[in-house]
């Protein structure tokens, strides 16, 4: 795994505008960067693909165990009145769409799982589409070695998955929803709508606060049309606590992502994985912070169960806090995970996001940050591999 300087495309900003990539720069800081790229070997890509598939299957075994235990559902801080709703979504095998595992790896040794973004992962558009356009352009320009490829079947797999949902699972109309005032979320949802449209699956968009409740307890859109299938870029840990949560079981909606993803996207997954698969080479030791068996560690990370984009994460070394990100999480409880350094290239730390679509590995995206904790504005860099 190498970080290689490369001349950016002179027209990449124009192409970003053309393709609707409106969040390539956020708050005056670059988000998309192409003054360098990460180069892998085919063997390294094969390793990432195999590791991602294995970790994902392990995570699904955690779901199976948690839904069968009231004590574990409580440990995951899933509200009691939604337990049956979450259980039923798993037992009825409600279909999922996509997810992302965040891995620490420098191309050698064992990759380590830092967390599972299984419910509302972003950075999809840039990983699936815009970095592929970069690859094609740089191959044409001769700046990339002839024969270079990219671990990236994301768009093809997303289109195939939407086709399955349409043809085999009876999704005849799919609503899409996200929060207001976030270009990144809206861009992610628009990209997914475009993928669905490729299959002939009709869709409608509305903001999450526009979802209404009909007379018969069904969720409705702004035209009072009943919502039967809904992709929502909105966290389950919010939804399960809001007033409409009492209506979830009876509303008749098939959700993307399904409610069982509330277990995978929860940081409580990490100590459960360590408990079920102790000393697995791709796992870091982790415990619930309030457990009695947390060992002494010189360096460790404290993570809230519901943290996103690095919020409220703290890194402790020899009893002193060396890094932190503020945010709204923490009251729900914490986990403790052994610290594992992200690989450092120059002055930046690099994180690999390994994507799955319909339970299958589908590609990677890389993020850089000068701080130890990767956050929502961490820079995205493209990648390629050589045989």
């Amino acid at each position: 795994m190498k970080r290689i300087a490369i001349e950016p495309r002179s027209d990449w900003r124009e192409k970003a505008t053309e393709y609707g990539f409106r969040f390539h720069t956020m708050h005056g800081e670059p988000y998309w960067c192409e003054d360098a790229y990460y180069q892998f070997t085919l063997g390294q890509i094969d390793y990432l693909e195999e590791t991602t598939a294995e970790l994902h299957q392990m995570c699904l075994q955690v779901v199976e165990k948690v839904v069968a235990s009231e004590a574990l559902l409580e440990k995951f801080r899933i509200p009691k009145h939604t337990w049956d709703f979450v259980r039923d979504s798993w037992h009825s095998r409600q279909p999922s769409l996509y997810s992302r595992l965040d891995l620490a790896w420098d191309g050698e040794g064992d990759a380590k799982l830092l967390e599972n973004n299984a419910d509302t992962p972003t950075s999809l558009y840039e990983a699936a589409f815009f970095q592929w356009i970069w690859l094609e352009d740089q191959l044409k320009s001769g700046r990339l070695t002839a024969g270079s490829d990219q671990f990236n079947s994301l768009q093809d797999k997303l289109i195939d998955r939407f086709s399955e949902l349409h043809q085999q699972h009876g999704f005849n109309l799919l609503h899409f929803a996200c929060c207001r005032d976030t270009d990144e979320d809206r861009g992610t949802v628009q990209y997914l709508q475009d993928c669905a449209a490729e299959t002939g699956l009709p869709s409608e968009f509305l903001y999450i606060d526009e979802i209404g409740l009909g007379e018969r307890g069904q969720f409705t859109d702004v035209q009072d049309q009943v919502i039967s299938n809904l992709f929502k870029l909105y966290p389950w840990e919010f939804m399960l606590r809001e007033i409409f949560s009492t209506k979830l079981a009876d509303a008749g909606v098939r959700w993307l992502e399904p409610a069982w993803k509330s277990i995978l996207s929860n940081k409580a997954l990490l100590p459960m994985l360590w408990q079920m698969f102790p000393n697995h080479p791709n796992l870091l030791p982790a415990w619930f912070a309030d457990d009695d068996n947390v060992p002494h560690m010189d360096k460790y990370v404290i993570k809230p169960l519901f943290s996103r984009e690095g919020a409220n994460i703290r890194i402790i070394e020899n009893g002193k806090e060396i890094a932190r990100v503020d945010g709204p999480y923490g009251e729900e409880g914490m986990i403790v995970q052994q610290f594992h350094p992200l690989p450092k290239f120059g002055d930046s730390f690099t994180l690999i996001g390994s994507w799955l679509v319909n339970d299958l590995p589908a590609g990677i995206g890389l993020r850089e940050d000068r701080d130890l904790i990767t956050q929502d504005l961490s820079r995205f860099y493209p990648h390629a591999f050589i045989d």
Side-chain angles (χ1 to χ4, degrees):
M1 179 177 167
K2 301 176 181 175
R3 188 185 193 277
I4 298 176
I6 190 171
E7 185 178 339
R9 296 166 293 168
S10 60
D11 63 345
W12 77 261
R13 288 176 179 81
E14 288 78 10
K15 288 199 170 185
T17 300
E18 176 188 352
Y19 291 123
F21 189 7
R22 290 183 291 274
F23 54 95
H24 62 76
T25 302
M26 292 191 281
H27 308 290
E29 295 292 329
Y31 169 65
W32 170 269
C33 296
E34 55 176 77
D35 57 310
Y37 73 99
Y38 282 87
Q39 185 188 77
F40 296 82
T41 66
L42 178 58
Q44 289 170 332
I45 293 299
D46 288 342
Y47 170 80
L48 282 171
E49 187 170 11
E50 293 164 4
T51 299
T52 298
E54 181 178 359
L55 285 168
H56 180 64
Q57 290 303 314
M58 290 159 56
C59 290
L60 295 181
Q61 291 183 55
V62 174
V63 179
E64 182 73 31
K65 185 167 184 173
V66 172
V67 297
S69 166
E70 292 186 355
L72 289 176
L73 287 166
E74 174 66 32
K75 199 82 169 173
F76 275 64
R77 298 296 185 262
I78 293 173
K80 187 173 183 178
H81 71 278
T82 67
W83 285 357
D84 285 342
F85 174 67
V86 173
R87 284 193 191 108
D88 290 346
S89 73
W90 176 251
H91 292 145
S92 62
R93 294 299 186 261
Q94 288 296 303
S96 64
L97 183 61
Y98 74 122
S99 60
R100 190 190 77 232
L101 303 181
D102 284 348
L103 305 174
W105 195 52
D106 64 359
E108 298 180 357
D110 297 314
K112 300 294 186 181
L113 176 68
L114 298 182
E115 61 184 58
N116 188 343
N117 296 276
D119 183 20
T120 59
T122 51
S123 78
L124 177 69
Y125 168 86
E126 48 274 38
F129 181 75
F130 205 68
Q131 72 165 338
W132 183 259
I133 299 297
W134 168 88
L135 178 79
E136 291 182 327
D137 288 347
Q138 294 292 40
L139 281 170
K140 289 176 186 174
S141 71
R143 296 190 190 107
L144 276 179
T145 304
S148 294
D149 203 347
Q150 194 173 86
F151 180 26
N152 186 2
S153 60
L154 269 163
Q155 183 158 300
D156 288 342
K157 282 188 168 67
L158 284 166
I159 291 171
D160 288 347
R161 184 53 168 163
F162 279 121
S163 180
E164 288 179 4
L165 294 172
H166 186 28
Q167 303 296 333
Q168 299 174 25
H169 292 272
F171 280 56
N172 295 319
L173 173 65
L174 179 57
H175 283 78
F176 287 83
C178 69
C179 292
R180 298 178 187 270
D181 303 323
T182 164
D183 287 341
E184 185 178 9
D185 286 7
R186 185 66 184 95
T188 301
V189 170
Q190 182 60 63
Y191 173 65
L192 288 169
Q193 273 190 274
D194 291 344
C195 289
E198 287 286 319
T199 73
L201 172 56
S203 68
E204 297 278 357
F205 174 80
L206 73 166
Y207 289 109
I208 201 81
D209 60 34
E210 293 178 323
I211 296 174
L213 190 65
E215 292 180 359
R216 299 181 179 180
Q218 297 165 307
F219 293 130
T220 57
D221 64 15
V222 291
Q223 286 86 34
D224 290 327
Q225 185 175 209
V226 171
I227 297 172
S228 298
N229 308 292
L230 178 64
F231 174 90
K232 44 85 194 166
L233 201 66
Y234 189 69
W236 273 116
E237 63 263 23
F238 293 175
M239 292 179 65
L240 297 180
R241 284 162 174 75
E242 292 172 350
I243 191 168
F244 278 1
S245 65
T246 58
K247 309 296 183 182
L248 286 168
D250 299 323
V253 178
R254 284 185 296 188
W255 300 91
L256 290 175
E257 299 297 329
W260 54 263
K261 286 287 191 85
S262 63
I263 296 171
L264 291 185
S265 63
N266 191 314
K267 301 298 187 299
L269 173 76
L270 301 171
M272 282 300 302
L273 282 168
W274 186 248
Q275 182 185 115
M276 292 173 65
F277 306 97
N279 302 312
H280 189 283
N282 300 123
L283 297 178
L284 292 170
W287 297 266
F288 291 95
D290 57 1
D291 282 354
D292 296 331
N293 63 338
V294 181
H296 172 78
M297 290 176 283
D298 292 334
K299 198 169 184 180
Y300 57 93
V301 184
I302 301 173
K303 298 180 177 181
L305 300 190
F306 300 151
S307 173
R308 292 172 184 274
E309 305 287 7
N312 297 101
I313 287 178
R314 302 164 58 210
I315 300 176
I316 309 297
E317 183 173 17
N318 296 323
K320 295 182 179 179
E321 183 179 278
I322 63 168
R324 73 175 295 153
V325 176
D326 292 329
Y329 304 102
E331 291 183 2
E332 69 278 7
M334 305 278 191
I335 65 108
V336 177
Q337 186 182 49
Q338 186 180 79
F339 177 82
H340 185 82
L342 290 171
K344 194 172 185 180
F345 295 84
D347 64 351
S348 294
F349 301 95
T350 302
L351 177 75
I352 298 174
S354 190
W355 292 90
L356 300 107
V357 176
N358 190 20
D359 299 320
L360 297 173
I364 57 173
L366 290 100
R367 305 280 298 277
E368 275 190 7
D369 204 300
R370 292 184 180 89
D371 293 326
L372 284 168
I373 302 171
T374 306
Q375 301 172 58
D376 59 342
L377 297 181
S378 301
R379 303 176 300 281
F380 189 102
Y381 275 85
H383 81 278
F385 71 84
I386 51 175
D387 196 338

